[in-house]
Amino acid sequence: MAEQPAVASDCQCGNSDHQHGYIAAKDAYLKRLRRIEGQARGLQRMVDEDAYCIDILTQVSAMTKALQSVSLELLTDHMNHCVVDAAAKGGDEAQAKIDEAMAAISRFVK
């Protein structure tokens, strides 16, 4: 298994009172993540009840797509907020945010 690059636990963008780009849609993100959590419980139930393999795989695919959708929206929010803010400031922070975003994108395409 490939080693994951270190990722900062929060995006400060050089400002202690910084708000993350997803804050405006936080409730929507939480609602979607709870729905995905329900899908995971449904998958567990399907396996426990010996559901047909293809039916389980179909649900795994749906859950995967839902997670990918949330991830891409979070990445978009990060790019439009944290990366744009850092780029406007310039310097090392800008390059660090671009590198961080590129690392996240590369994880999607692997």
Side-chain angles (χ1 to χ4, degrees):
M1 184 170 178
E3 185 176 320
Q4 293 293 324
V7 177
S9 62
D10 58 0
C11 171
Q12 292 301 316
C13 298
N15 188 344
S16 63
D17 62 349
H18 171 77
Q19 286 194 344
H20 302 292
Y22 65 84
I23 291 297
K26 183 176 179 178
D27 289 339
Y29 278 116
L30 288 171
K31 182 178 178 180
R32 291 172 70 186
L33 289 168
R34 286 183 191 108
R35 190 175 310 128
I36 293 167
E37 181 181 23
Q39 286 178 293
R41 284 191 304 272
L43 281 165
Q44 292 171 9
R45 189 171 37 256
M46 290 176 79
V47 171
D48 187 50
E49 295 172 357
D50 301 322
Y52 183 55
C53 301
I54 297 300
D55 293 341
I56 296 170
L57 289 169
T58 298
Q59 292 306 311
V60 167
S61 178
M63 187 174 162
T64 300
K65 293 295 182 192
L67 281 168
Q68 287 172 339
S69 177
V70 169
S71 297
L72 288 173
E73 287 186 35
L74 281 168
L75 181 60
T76 298
D77 287 342
H78 180 69
M79 296 291 290
N80 287 327
H81 188 77
C82 298
V83 175
V84 168
D85 286 352
K89 292 174 186 171
D92 292 340
E93 183 180 347
Q95 189 60 52
K97 289 298 173 192
I98 291 168
D99 292 345
E100 180 182 59
M102 290 306 300
I105 291 166
S106 72
R107 288 190 297 271
F108 280 111
V109 297
K110 286 185 179 179

